[in-house]
Amino acid sequence: MDIIAQLALWQICPPVIEHPPLFTCEDADRLLVDRPGTRIKNLFLRDNYGRRHFLLLTRPGKQVDLKALSIQEGISRLGFASSERLGRYLGVEPGHVSVLALINDVRGEVDLWLDEELSAGDDFHCHPLRNTATLLLSRIDLLRFAEQTGHRPRWLAVPELG
């Protein structure tokens, strides 16, 4: 899929920054990729039974307390989803995850969670279904994208370890 063309159809035309492959936030740090805006860590989570799935966007350095988040949200033990589930629900491989992968969740099986710490951010860094580029998606465009894909974002106070 040409995600950039699809975004343009929705009147979303963010700047694109091409770069070497970046699989993690740490890769960007090591390669000294300097980009304006708000960096994001994307966590693809599932409940204990594998019935519910969540894409959590938070700040790169945050160590999320999944046990506390599970209790807070009334969900049976949150954990990281497998790469197989990532492919099945979001259509991407590890290292290529961003909010834009929700375009592949046409059945609406993944909930979008946004850390409240990101609420003041703008120009969010998002891989366009590949980790060799970054789109700078404004907060307004991020919310418009979520609406277009049928995902209702929830802003959460995401607990941190320790």
Side-chain angles (χ1 to χ4, degrees), residues 35-53:
R35 299 165 286 178
T38 305
R39 292 178 58 201
I40 295 177
K41 176 165 63 174
N42 304 278
L43 302 177
F44 187 52
L45 307 171
R46 68 190 249 331
D47 72 358
N48 189 45
Y49 304 106
R51 293 185 196 132
R52 295 183 64 195
H53 294 82

Side-chain angles (χ1 to χ4, degrees), residues 2-76:
D2 185 348
I3 185 75
I4 295 172
Q6 182 59 55
L7 291 172
L9 289 175
W10 293 334
Q11 307 302 309
I12 301 172
C13 301
V16 179
I17 300 170
E18 299 286 341
H19 51 69
L22 302 175
F23 291 91
T24 65
C25 295
E26 291 78 23
D27 287 348
D29 292 340
R30 276 193 294 280
L31 290 174
L32 300 174
V33 176
D34 185 27
R35 299 165 286 178
T38 305
R39 292 178 58 201
I40 295 177
K41 176 165 63 174
N42 304 278
L43 302 177
F44 187 52
L45 307 171
R46 68 190 249 331
D47 72 358
N48 189 45
Y49 304 106
R51 293 185 196 132
R52 295 183 64 195
H53 294 82
F54 311 89
L55 180 60
L56 171 63
L57 280 56
T58 189
R59 64 177 164 77
K62 188 166 194 171
Q63 296 297 312
V64 176
D65 185 337
L66 293 179
K67 183 176 181 181
L69 184 57
S70 297
I71 293 167
Q72 172 184 306
E73 295 303 311
I75 294 170
S76 157

Side-chain angles (χ1 to χ4, degrees), residues 10-153:
W10 293 334
Q11 307 302 309
I12 301 172
C13 301
V16 179
I17 300 170
E18 299 286 341
H19 51 69
L22 302 175
F23 291 91
T24 65
C25 295
E26 291 78 23
D27 287 348
D29 292 340
R30 276 193 294 280
L31 290 174
L32 300 174
V33 176
D34 185 27
R35 299 165 286 178
T38 305
R39 292 178 58 201
I40 295 177
K41 176 165 63 174
N42 304 278
L43 302 177
F44 187 52
L45 307 171
R46 68 190 249 331
D47 72 358
N48 189 45
Y49 304 106
R51 293 185 196 132
R52 295 183 64 195
H53 294 82
F54 311 89
L55 180 60
L56 171 63
L57 280 56
T58 189
R59 64 177 164 77
K62 188 166 194 171
Q63 296 297 312
V64 176
D65 185 337
L66 293 179
K67 183 176 181 181
L69 184 57
S70 297
I71 293 167
Q72 172 184 306
E73 295 303 311
I75 294 170
S76 157
R77 202 170 39 149
L78 283 170
F80 293 101
S82 67
S83 58
E84 291 80 18
R85 285 178 185 272
L86 180 62
R88 183 178 335 138
Y89 290 95
L90 295 181
V92 294
E93 297 176 4
H96 300 261
V97 182
S98 83
V99 69
L100 298 176
L102 289 174
I103 198 163
N104 294 322
D105 178 35
V106 294
R107 297 192 318 194
E109 297 177 289
V110 178
D111 292 335
L112 174 57
W113 287 350
L114 304 169
D115 191 330
E116 286 179 350
E117 291 183 18
L118 299 176
S119 64
D122 210 352
D123 292 333
F124 295 102
H125 296 191
C126 304
H127 286 315
L129 309 181
R130 61 185 171 92
N131 66 358
T132 56
T134 297
L135 303 185
L136 303 180
L137 205 61
S138 72
R139 184 180 325 104
I140 291 169
D141 284 344
L142 186 148
L143 296 175
R144 183 181 307 140
F145 170 81
E147 180 182 335
Q148 289 291 334
T149 61
H151 293 87
R152 175 185 232 154

